[in-house]
Amino acid sequence: MANTSVQRATAIGATTILNWALLAALTQLAGPVPPFLLTALAFAIAFACFAVWLGIRGESLLAPLHQPPRVWLMGVAGLFGYHALYFVAQQNAPPANAGLISYLWPLLIVIFVALLPGERLRAIHVIGGLLGFAGAALLVGGDASRGGSALGYGAAFACAFVWSGYSVLSRAAKGVPTATVGGFCLATAVLALICHLLFEPTRLPQGIGWLGVIGLGLGPVGSAFFTWDVGVKHGDLRLLGLLAYFTPLLSTLVLIATGYAQPTPLLALAALLITAGMLVGSGRLSRRA
């Protein structure tokens, strides 16, 4: 029964990968909305949906929010910190290069899991992680000679450490209900709005752009964090970290399907590396049928 519970939680967490694959396309659909404003709008929608969901279930909105300060620090730092750093990286370094560095987080998850009680890092996890990272590098890597500031590259590295650290620490905080993520979304929306008012001009979405914002709030910036929380706390965290390598691949396929990108031979090679990394790292290739 326990094994079935872990498999179910892993399956729920894996849906997050599909959700995050829509992030780039929905961001393009939202249009030229300032990043902190876009973050505030998306997370506000996510919190509103969470509140409605609790209301339908007849559950208290405030009860899950009674958590120790360290839990709030971890949650808000993970959601807001990652997105804030990601936007800084994208604005101060070539986007492809910044994306490559920030996508170190799945590999870091596989390595950091070894620090958790009762866990150990095996050679297949390292090999699988490296294969997957090689595929991700081919997919999102750019020309290193295009330059960028130390601030941009430093923020990109910080992105990887923030999200991998948040995911692993969430695993250690299994007792915190997933519903608490709704409070993290509200706090993130408020902080993003403050940053928007301090640092950005106001430019609201226009026309169909609102569909992109609503889509972000419902999916990649909304339900994705709840499903990821379930997965990292109760599922197979190493497998989820390796599956996360599918995010840049699936995101590119969505961009191709929506006309924002063109298919290339590099995509096929990246797909092979990512798939091999997932299979090797999860140990499935070494298991008997």
Side-chain angles (χ1 to χ4, degrees):
M1 182 66 69
N3 187 50
T4 301
S5 178
V6 171
Q7 291 177 348
R8 180 175 180 272
T10 303
I12 292 173
T15 65
T16 311
I17 310 304
L18 301 176
N19 228 334
W20 281 337
L22 301 175
L23 178 61
L26 289 174
T27 301
Q28 292 293 325
L29 182 62
V33 181
F36 284 119
L37 177 58
L38 183 59
T39 301
L41 291 172
F43 275 102
I45 293 171
F47 174 75
C49 293
F50 160 76
V52 171
W53 177 69
L54 282 185
I56 294 174
R57 292 169 58 91
E59 298 180 12
S60 170
L61 177 63
L62 298 178
L65 305 184
H66 294 293
Q67 302 296 331
R70 60 181 177 80
V71 172
W72 280 95
L73 179 62
M74 177 193 70
V76 176
L79 298 190
F80 174 77
Y82 174 81
H83 288 83
L85 288 167
Y86 184 81
F87 294 142
V88 171
Q90 289 291 316
Q91 293 172 358
N92 293 275
N97 293 5
L100 167 62
I101 295 171
S102 66
Y103 261 97
L104 283 166
W105 67 261
L107 177 59
L108 291 176
I109 284 179
V110 175
I111 296 174
F112 288 168
V113 159
L115 302 177
L116 294 179
E119 304 281 358
R120 68 187 181 93
L121 190 66
R122 299 169 57 192
I124 59 172
H125 299 135
V126 176
I127 295 172
L130 291 174
L131 284 172
F133 178 71
L138 286 175
L139 199 60
V140 301
D143 183 2
S145 66
R146 293 171 58 190
S149 69
L151 174 63
Y153 284 113
F157 274 111
C159 277
F161 280 93
V162 166
W163 194 252
S164 58
Y166 168 76
S167 298
V168 174
L169 289 175
S170 294
R171 170 77 168 203
K174 288 184 178 180
V176 178
T178 296
T180 305
V181 177
F184 299 160
C185 289
L186 177 60
T188 297
V190 172
L191 285 176
L193 179 60
I194 293 173
C195 289
H196 165 67
L197 295 175
L198 290 176
F199 305 118
E200 296 176 336
T202 299
R203 184 185 301 161
L204 292 171
Q206 299 296 318
I208 197 174
W210 280 106
L211 293 179
V213 174
I214 294 172
L216 287 171
L218 292 176
V221 183
S223 62
F225 295 118
F226 295 91
T227 55
W228 187 248
D229 189 78
V230 171
V232 298
K233 285 180 179 176
H234 307 291
D236 185 337
L237 186 52
R238 281 200 185 98
L239 180 56
L240 288 173
L242 290 163
L243 286 172
Y245 283 116
F246 280 104
T247 303
L249 171 64
L250 294 176
S251 178
T252 301
L253 291 176
V254 171
L255 289 173
I256 291 173
T258 54
Y260 292 117
Q262 298 297 320
T264 65
L266 198 64
L267 179 62
L269 178 58
L272 290 175
L273 287 172
I274 290 169
T275 303
M278 186 274 290
L279 292 174
V280 172
S282 65
R284 296 185 183 278
L285 291 182
S286 61
R287 293 177 186 170
R288 294 181 180 178

